[in-house]
């Protein structure tokens, strides 16, 4: 039997490692990391290395299914029936409630082809801007801050900057756990260049923090105060790149006045940090050195996430540490195609190619490109994720199509999210696994081909666009996501969805980016078949762009980057006598989100078998908690079961628990029953990182 070799981007984190597979008779014989392929050059972390084990036939959603009556199990149907039912019911809802009765909630795990066609379907054909994704819970604050400061989204640096950086500032990111292959590059850099220094800002002493020269255990939510304090000290010491500031930025003098007006003691109190640690960080930054910052959910998932991002960007602008090798503020993307989703404009205020629904010229351009009548695209942004679920609960939105995400577990205030799904008139769930917690609420289930089973394109954290080739046949009737949405669109009578392959979808999308900041028009299918490229890449002979803003010109009206004033704000919910502890949430190395995939891999489950909570010894003593005991964590909104792990890696009064285990693990586990839906006012990203809780024994 002939053996073939295929390559596909790892379906987990935004590092975007390329994984090779030797395949025979539709089975993977061996996985490997190709030595010459960027960005991982032969490296994989355990999640990527165990991908062979995720093909568990009995856990796959392999046929379309319809649930005839709520409360009864769904039954397999043909694609014709599933698509016909969806088309008919969506048409009816549109007739009775208007286009705005229909919403879509997607994911950074869809490939670009699928995310683009869903955007075209919702915003161009259905004409509802109620389209949002789990990226709202993930990076919307980072996106908003990049746009505010630089005029456009997109991380300016690239991975290779790791090999040029002299000081790393890793803030609100546990890279050793969540971007492990990239962190491996930082480790190597540190070991090879003894002058390199690493500062880690995280309330917990994580694996990442253990590798740091300076670990600053900031109080949960205290990052803006800390960054302002560091910036104030550096400005006072004259450590400002005045040439850069004067030539390439605006708003500095106002910012400097503001920094000078701040009271150091108040800032210290707000971030609750030992002054000696701040001093150490300032010392490391005093001498000019290439500064590369990595950041993620510890500063994004906050009611002042945009401001925290801006505080960090201000620091880079002040030091002139951007647009040159080894420098820049690098927002890490979480999911493999979160960046691609940004490019196709899948958030409720966006259109493809970094265009916006509120800009009349952008709407007109898209209407012309899509060949739809002028005025088709609604001018108001749709509802973002949290308000969308609220509208669903209140009956203002009637139908929700969910693809490649499991909001019953990953959404803040999961009780309320589940109630919204329960109240919906129509829920469509498109996934590759079954059962999932969200599938329990589905009226129609659509089986998606998964990693290795389809051809598609994704963009990683460094703007690198990588093509994955199909090397396995999907099980049963499972189909690529782009095919599914195209079929539904056609069944509804919309034109512009006649594509016959992922390549045809890509060709349409890439031309739409022409002239835009994320220009990918030079990335032809022929090129992507043999190489990966970083945007902008504006013509077929262009070699792609490793770094943005190397000439100090920014896509703002004046060409300058902008300083913004940043305020110190408390998290929305802080401890009180009834709920005396701060809960922060996140991830661990061996599990991926809601475990639909990693939960099938024995080797990964063995490393992380149960939901747990990290508790400081003093807190454990105060509240009578014992090691390995099962307890309830309780907030104003709900409760969940966790096992106690006593460790001084968390500060007193702060608990940490990962959100990986939902109700399919145990009916009483789902950490997001505790979290709340307070939003950042600019990005509308929810504050998943902080809520107030208490601990209860399981006997009550
Ligand atoms: N193994 C694994 N890897 C993953 C994922 C996964 O599920 N599993 N998910 C992927 C996705 S989608 C994403 S978005 C990324 C997320 O990657 P990260 O952002 O690194 O992940 P988190 O664990 O959510 O949060 C990071 C850290 O923020 C800290 N933190 C909490 N509150 C604060 C605060 O107020 N300030 C600061 N400075 N830090 C704080 C937490 O202690 C935690 O260590 O990971 C990606 N990689
Ligand atoms: N408390 C708390 N909650 C959080 C976070 C936190 O830090 N703390 N982080 C938030 C963040 S940053 C994120 S990104 C979200 C992640 O949360 P989710 O998006 O819910 O995470 P997953 O479990 O990865 O869900 C992806 C689903 O898509 C399916 N899937 C995988 N590949 C494909 C595909 O190719 N096609 C289709 N159709 N389906 C596919 C999987 O089987 C799975 O059911 O969680 C958010 N929730
Ligand atoms: S580092 Fe991320 S992309 Fe690379 S193998 Fe691990 S999970 Fe996959
Ligand atoms: Mo994420």
């Amino acid at each position: 039997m002939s053996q073939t070799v295929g390559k596909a981007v790892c379906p987990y984190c935004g590092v975007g490692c390329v994984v090779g597979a030797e395949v025979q008779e539709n089975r993977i014989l061996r996985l490997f990391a190709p030595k010459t392929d960027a960005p991982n050059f032969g490296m994989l972390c355990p999640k990527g290395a165990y991908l062979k084990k995720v093909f568990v036939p009995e856990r796959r959603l392999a046929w379309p299914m319809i649930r005839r009556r709520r409360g009864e199990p769904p039954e397999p149907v043909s694609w014709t029936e599933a698509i016909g039912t969806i088309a008919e019911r969506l048409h009816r809802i549109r007739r009775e409630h208007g286009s705005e009765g229909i919403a879509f909630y997607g994911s950074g795990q869809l490939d670009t082809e699928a995310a683009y066609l869903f955007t075209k379907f919702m915003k161009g054909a259905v004409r509802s801007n109620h389209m949002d994704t789990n990226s709202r819970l993930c990076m919307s604050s980072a996106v908003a801050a990049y746009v505010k400061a630089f005029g456009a989204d997109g991380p300016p640096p690239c991975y290779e900057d790791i090999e040029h950086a002299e000081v790393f500032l890793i803030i609100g990111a546990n890279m050793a756990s969540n971007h492990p292959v990239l962190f491996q590059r930082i480790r190597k850099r540190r070991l090879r260049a003894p002058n390199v220094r690493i500062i880690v800002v995280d309330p917990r002493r994580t694996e990442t923090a253990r590798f740091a020269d300076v670990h600053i255990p900031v109080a949960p939510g205290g990052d803006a105060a800390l960054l302002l304090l560091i910036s104030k000290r550096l400005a006072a010491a004259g450590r400002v790149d005045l040439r850069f500031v004067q030539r390439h930025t605006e708003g500095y003098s106002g910012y400097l006045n503001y920094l000078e007006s701040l009271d150091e003691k108040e800032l210290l109190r707000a971030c609750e940090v030992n002054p000696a640690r701040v001093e150490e960080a300032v010392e490391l930054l005093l001498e000019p050195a290439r500064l590369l910052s990595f950041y993620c959910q510890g500063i994004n998932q906050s009611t002042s996430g945009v401001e925290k991002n801006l505080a960090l960007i201000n620091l880079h602008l002040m030091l002139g540490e951007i647009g040159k090798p080894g420098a820049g503020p690098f927002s890490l993307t979480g999911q493999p195609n979160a960046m691609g989703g940004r490019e196709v404009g899948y958030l409720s205020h966006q259109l493809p190619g970094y265009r916006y629904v509120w800009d009349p010229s952008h709407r007109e351009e898209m209407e012309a490109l899509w060949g739809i009548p002028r005025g088709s695209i609604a001018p108001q942004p749709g509802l973002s994720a949290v308000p969308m679920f609220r509208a669903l609960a209140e009956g203002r939105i009637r139908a929700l199509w969910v693809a490649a995400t499991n909001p019953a577990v990953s959404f803040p205030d999961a009780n309320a999210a589940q109630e919204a799904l329960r109240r919906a008139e129509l829920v469509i769930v498109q996934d590759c696994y079954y059962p999932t917690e969200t599938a329990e609420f589905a009226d129609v289930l659509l089986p998606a081909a998964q990693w290795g089973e389809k051809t598609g394109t994704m963009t990683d954290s460094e703007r690198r666009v990588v093509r994955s080739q199909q090397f396995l046949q999907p099980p049963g009737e499972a189909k690529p996501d782009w095919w599914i949405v195209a079929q539904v669109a056609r069944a509804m009578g919309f034109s512009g969805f006649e594509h016959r392959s992922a390549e045809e979808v890509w060709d349409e999308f890439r031309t739409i980016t022409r002239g835009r900041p994320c220009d990918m028009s030079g990335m032809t299918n022929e090129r992507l078949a043999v190489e990966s490229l970083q945007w902008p890449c504006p013509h077929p002979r262009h070699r792609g762009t490793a770094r943005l803003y190397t000439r100090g010109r920014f896509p703002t009206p004046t060409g300058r980057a902008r300083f913004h004033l940043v305020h110190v704000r408390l998290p929305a919910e802080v401890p009180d006598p009834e709920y005396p502890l701060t809960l922060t949430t996140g991830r661990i190395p061996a599990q991926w989100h809601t475990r639909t995939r990693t939960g099938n891999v024995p080797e990964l489950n063995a490393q992380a078998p149960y939901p747990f909570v990290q508790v400081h010894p003093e807190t454990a003593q105060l509240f009578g908690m014992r090691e390995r005991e099962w307890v309830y964590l309780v907030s104003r909104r709900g409760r969940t079961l966790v096992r106690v792990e006593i460790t001084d890696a968390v500060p007193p009064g702060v608990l940490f628990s990962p959100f990986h285990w939902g109700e399919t693990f145990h009916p009483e586990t789902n950490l997001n029953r505790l979290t709340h839906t307070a939003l950042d006012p600019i990005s509308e990203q929810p504050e998943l990182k902080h809520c107030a809780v208490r601990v209860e024994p399981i006997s009550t």
Side-chain angles (χ1 to χ4, degrees):
M1 230 358 100
S2 75
Q3 202 171 303
T4 54
V5 176
K7 270 189 211 174
V9 180
C10 174
Y12 298 118
C13 84
V15 175
C17 297
V18 174
V19 187
E22 289 171 10
V23 181
Q24 195 169 36
E25 288 179 39
N26 209 34
R27 283 195 41 221
I28 296 176
L29 299 177
R30 192 176 78 87
L31 284 182
F32 62 98
K35 289 252 177 324
T36 50
D37 280 61
N40 47 320
F41 302 107
M43 287 188 279
L44 288 179
C45 81
K47 285 192 301 306
Y50 283 119
L51 270 170
K52 203 178 140 180
K53 306 248 173 141
V54 304
F55 301 91
V56 183
E58 60 278 18
R59 286 277 296 116
R60 293 299 297 278
L61 177 60
W63 284 272
M65 293 206 276
I66 290 183
R67 196 189 309 274
R68 311 265 176 211
R69 223 163 279 116
R70 296 263 168 104
E72 286 179 9
E75 52 189 71
V77 296
S78 67
W79 271 112
T80 314
E81 183 175 352
I83 289 168
T85 304
I86 293 173
E88 188 260 316
R89 293 192 65 180
L90 287 182
H91 267 314
R92 190 176 345 132
I93 289 173
R94 207 161 164 237
R95 255 192 331 269
E96 291 170 4
H97 303 276
S99 298
E100 303 242 308
I102 299 170
F104 172 80
Y105 183 61
S107 154
Q109 293 172 65
L110 290 168
D111 53 33
T112 298
E113 288 80 359
Y116 168 69
L117 276 196
F118 268 119
T119 308
K120 185 177 186 182
F121 172 72
M122 285 300 295
K123 294 172 182 175
V126 174
R127 303 183 187 179
S128 164
N129 289 340
H130 295 329
M131 170 180 200
D132 219 48
T133 66
N134 59 7
S135 291
R136 184 70 65 175
L137 319 183
C138 182
M139 311 164 314
S140 54
S141 290
V143 173
Y146 275 149
V147 174
K148 270 179 161 297
F150 305 140
D153 185 19
C158 59
Y159 296 161
E160 202 200 88
D161 285 319
I162 292 173
E163 281 81 54
H164 302 281
E166 290 159 322
V167 178
F168 291 89
L169 173 57
I170 304 176
I171 176 164
N174 183 7
M175 293 179 73
S177 160
N178 305 328
H179 295 89
V181 164
L182 215 49
F183 193 66
Q184 198 53 28
R185 274 172 85 163
I186 297 180
R187 275 180 202 267
K188 279 194 188 149
R189 167 75 180 149
R190 174 77 176 79
L191 296 174
R192 283 187 194 146
N195 60 325
V196 163
R197 291 290 175 267
I198 301 176
I199 306 167
V200 170
V201 182
D202 193 308
R204 298 189 299 139
R205 199 171 66 253
T206 58
E207 270 308 298
T208 313
R210 283 178 220 274
F211 195 70
D213 298 281
V214 181
H215 169 217
I216 307 186
V218 67
D223 303 82
L226 175 71
L227 287 165
L228 286 169
L229 182 57
I230 291 174
S231 306
K232 182 180 165 79
R233 294 262 178 92
L234 292 172
R239 171 71 169 98
V240 178
D241 185 341
L242 272 181
R243 204 178 120 95
F244 180 86
V245 165
Q246 279 162 5
R247 285 191 176 184
H248 304 301
T249 73
E250 56 198 8
Y252 179 66
S253 62
Y255 186 61
L256 182 64
N257 287 340
Y258 173 65
L259 283 181
E260 284 171 349
S261 75
L262 296 172
D263 182 77
E264 287 216 0
K265 287 207 186 68
E266 271 174 34
L267 293 174
L268 263 177
R269 213 173 304 126
C271 59
E272 293 176 33
V273 172
N274 180 340
R277 292 292 92 72
V278 180
E279 206 43 56
E280 285 165 18
V282 170
E283 281 287 308
L284 289 186
L285 295 167
L286 265 181
E287 287 303 311
R290 297 291 161 94
L291 173 67
L292 187 61
S293 298
F294 286 104
Y295 51 105
C296 205
Q297 301 316 332
I299 65 169
N300 286 346
Q301 287 172 339
S302 150
T303 43
S304 52
V306 177
E307 292 200 84
K308 289 171 184 168
N309 272 262
L310 286 170
L312 183 64
I313 292 174
N314 286 345
L315 177 65
H316 277 268
L317 292 177
M318 187 177 102
L319 303 178
E321 288 299 321
I322 182 168
K324 55 189 182 188
F330 200 145
S331 148
L332 291 160
T333 50
Q335 300 170 93
N337 199 36
M339 186 62 67
R342 282 142 81 159
E343 294 148 11
V344 307
Y346 69 5
L347 295 178
S348 62
H349 60 295
Q350 299 173 329
L351 288 171
Y354 284 176
R355 294 176 177 91
Y356 298 98
V357 300
W358 54 64
D359 186 324
S361 65
H362 289 175
R363 289 199 305 277
E364 263 177 48
E365 275 170 35
M366 285 318 303
E367 286 158 356
L369 287 162
W370 281 340
I372 54 177
R374 262 182 82 167
S376 296
I377 299 174
Q380 282 89 28
L383 294 176
S384 71
V386 167
M388 180 192 282
F389 272 64
R390 219 171 274 147
L392 195 65
E394 291 166 5
R396 286 179 284 131
I397 288 176
R398 313 294 303 180
L400 183 68
W401 187 339
V402 179
T405 175
N406 189 7
V409 182
S410 56
F411 219 71
D413 194 358
N415 280 334
Q418 294 188 4
E419 186 54 29
L421 292 167
R422 204 171 287 124
R423 289 198 198 161
E425 183 177 330
L426 172 66
V427 176
I428 304 162
V429 171
Q430 180 167 327
D431 206 292
C432 19
Y433 287 90
Y434 182 82
T436 70
E437 290 81 357
T438 305
E440 291 303 296
F441 299 91
D443 302 292
V444 186
L445 289 136
L446 303 175
Q450 73 149 326
W451 181 80
E453 299 168 347
K454 60 187 171 189
T455 294
T457 314
M458 293 193 169
T459 310
D460 69 18
S461 268
E462 62 164 354
R463 293 171 278 102
R464 180 179 297 280
V465 178
V466 190
R467 174 65 51 80
S468 296
Q469 298 291 352
Q470 177 182 357
F471 49 80
L472 293 171
Q473 288 304 319
E477 290 289 323
K479 299 283 186 201
D481 293 288
W482 70 263
W483 182 92
I484 299 173
V485 57
Q487 296 305 308
V488 172
R490 286 162 63 169
M492 289 181 75
F494 299 128
S495 57
F497 295 88
E498 294 78 22
H499 315 81
R500 284 159 306 175
S501 65
E503 283 86 353
E504 282 189 16
V505 183
W506 174 260
D507 252 344
E508 176 176 320
F509 172 62
R510 104 185 138 82
T511 48
I512 277 172
T513 65
R514 183 166 292 138
R516 303 298 306 157
C518 58
D519 197 329
M520 288 171 260
S521 55
M523 299 184 190
T524 58
N525 285 309
E526 293 70 29
R527 292 187 80 185
L528 290 180
V530 291
E531 62 181 331
S532 61
L533 290 155
Q534 287 167 282
W535 60 253
C537 176
H539 59 78
R541 278 173 313 284
H542 193 282
R543 299 183 50 194
T545 311
R547 271 172 214 100
L548 302 181
Y549 315 135
T550 46
R551 301 216 175 96
R553 278 198 65 77
F554 296 86
T556 55
T558 56
R560 290 163 178 269
R562 298 179 282 223
F563 281 90
H564 288 268
L565 297 194
V566 168
H567 302 92
V568 176
R569 300 182 207 280
L570 281 178
E573 192 178 74
V574 290
D576 58 26
E578 222 183 324
Y579 297 94
L581 299 165
T582 294
L583 172 71
T584 190
T585 68
R587 300 158 165 78
I588 52 173
Q591 298 292 0
W592 175 259
H593 296 161
T594 68
R595 293 175 67 253
T596 50
R597 208 184 249 122
T598 48
N600 299 311
V601 181
E603 289 81 355
L604 297 176
N605 278 329
Q607 284 179 40
Y610 305 114
F612 65 90
V613 62
Q614 292 184 331
V615 187
H616 188 272
E618 281 173 25
T619 314
Q621 204 181 12
L622 201 62
F623 294 93
M625 297 155 81
R626 290 189 310 275
E627 179 75 11
R628 299 167 72 85
E629 167 191 33
W630 286 92
V631 295
Y632 285 118
L633 293 182
V634 185
S635 82
R636 283 189 176 79
R637 293 151 297 275
R639 65 182 196 177
T640 190
L641 270 180
V642 287
R643 220 168 176 214
V644 173
E645 180 189 307
I646 299 176
T647 164
D648 65 0
V650 287
V654 176
L655 308 179
F656 170 81
S657 184
F659 71 103
H660 301 300
W661 290 268
E663 287 89 349
T664 51
F665 177 78
H666 184 280
E668 289 199 288
T669 59
N670 185 338
L671 190 78
N672 275 322
R673 292 185 193 180
L674 310 188
T675 53
H676 57 71
T677 54
L679 306 179
D680 179 289
I682 300 162
S683 67
E684 302 197 8
Q685 178 159 355
E687 191 157 67
L688 286 159
K689 281 284 174 278
H690 320 295
C691 68
V693 298
R694 65 170 176 246
V695 179
E696 286 178 8
I698 46 174
S699 50
T700 55

